[in-house]
Amino acid sequence: MAQNISTPTGTRADGGKTVIVDPVVAKVAGIAAAQVPGVHALGGGAARVIGNIRQAVGAKDYAQGVSVEVGETEVAADIAIQVDYPERIQRVAANVRSAVEKAISDIVGMKVVEVNVTVVDVFIPGDDEDDEEEARVH
């Protein structure tokens, strides 16, 4: 659903209108969430795999793991994150809520009614590395 915001242009009597579509709001939310210390990645396992493929070809999906519902004047957002170990999960989630609410309010100019954060994984350094066994014979 596209969001219509009437804004005065200063040159026309009717002022015109500005339309902000949902993917723009999702991208703003995703960028804000990804910048929070302790957030390793956005999205669940499948979303991260697809995101890694996109990134390999040079197309980053900033809205990965983010869904938004945009109304006339309000926004609700759902964000899935992977948290770095040993960060305090509740603190990271609270910081994500705050950063997303501030970004949407400041950049998009809409009221945020809720930001739901789902922690889908904890990133432990070394888990994603392929630990090859040492050869038994040389």
Side-chain angles (χ1 to χ4, degrees), residues 38-132:
V39 172
H40 182 76
L42 299 179
R48 287 197 313 268
V49 168
I50 293 170
N52 288 340
I53 293 169
R54 283 185 177 154
Q55 198 165 8
V57 297
K60 180 148 176 66
D61 182 7
Y62 293 101
Q64 170 183 306
V66 178
S67 66
V68 295
E69 185 177 333
V70 181
E72 290 295 318
T73 59
E74 299 176 332
V75 175
D78 296 310
I79 302 175
I81 62 171
Q82 181 182 25
V83 176
D84 287 323
Y85 182 84
E87 294 289 333
R88 292 177 52 200
I89 294 172
Q90 294 292 346
R91 180 174 55 203
V92 172
N95 290 344
V96 166
R97 277 188 202 89
S98 177
V100 168
E101 182 175 350
K102 181 171 179 11
I104 291 173
S105 295
D106 291 353
I107 296 170
V108 180
M110 297 182 73
K111 179 181 178 188
V112 179
V113 293
E114 68 180 21
V115 177
N116 299 308
V117 177
T118 302
V119 178
V120 295
D121 199 1
V122 173
F123 176 78
I124 301 170
D127 269 4
D128 288 349
E129 298 172 6
D130 293 329
D131 296 326
E132 295 182 23

